[in-house]
Amino acid sequence: MAGEPQADCLFCKIVAGEVPATVVRETETTVAFRDINPQAPTHVLVIPKVHYPDAASLAAADPKAAADVLRAAGEVAAEEKAESYRIVFNTGSGAGQTVFHAHAHVLGGRGLQWPPG
Ligand code: AMP
Ligand code: ZN
């Protein structure tokens, strides 16, 4: 069923505590943890506890969870003292998405080029 945990999903396993992660923040609906391959001094992933394959499908099916991800992303940036930061939702393999459980990358702690690559 949409939104239910998927047995083959890495981030569902992190939500379930079956795969370890460096969790920096957890709310009723979200988990935030450090990216295993950081691209900036602050690189935290914020995920909804419910499983949807990407940010747009999450927002369509569960707008509150999508908003909770955005709010948590801002709270993480504030905790990390990143006064400028970027929230990225890679969507589709051509855009670099490798884990098909919606997630926000929160990147900060260095200058960020615009436009991104
Ligand atoms: P994306 O490429 O946008 O789908 O983002 C997936 C991110 O998950 C990448 O930046 C990976 O470095 C990160 N990642 C993969 N496995 C883990 C893990 N076990 N713990 C933390 N981050 C991970
Ligand atoms: Zn999942």
Side-chain angles (χ1 to χ4, degrees):
M1 203 174 99
E4 294 298 310
Q6 302 293 302
D8 59 349
C9 173
L10 173 64
F11 288 176
C12 283
K13 289 180 181 160
I14 287 177
V15 170
E18 294 166 9
V19 166
T22 305
V23 173
V24 297
R25 184 171 191 82
E26 181 167 4
T27 69
E28 201 182 326
T29 54
T30 69
V31 183
F33 52 93
R34 297 206 186 276
D35 196 292
I36 206 167
N37 183 23
Q39 302 301 313
T42 290
H43 188 172
V44 172
L45 301 176
V46 183
I47 67 173
K49 290 184 176 176
V50 290
H51 178 97
Y52 288 95
D54 56 48
S57 56
L58 171 70
D62 192 339
K64 179 183 180 297
D68 290 348
V69 167
L70 281 179
R71 187 171 71 239
E75 289 167 354
V76 165
E79 279 168 9
E80 298 276 313
K81 311 229 182 302
E83 82 186 35
S84 296
Y85 61 93
R86 189 169 290 158
I87 300 173
V88 174
F89 293 93
N90 294 327
T91 302
S93 55
Q97 188 177 5
T98 58
V99 179
F100 290 84
H101 178 129
H103 54 279
H105 295 257
V106 181
L107 296 152
R110 64 166 168 81
L112 296 164
Q113 285 187 334
W114 189 261

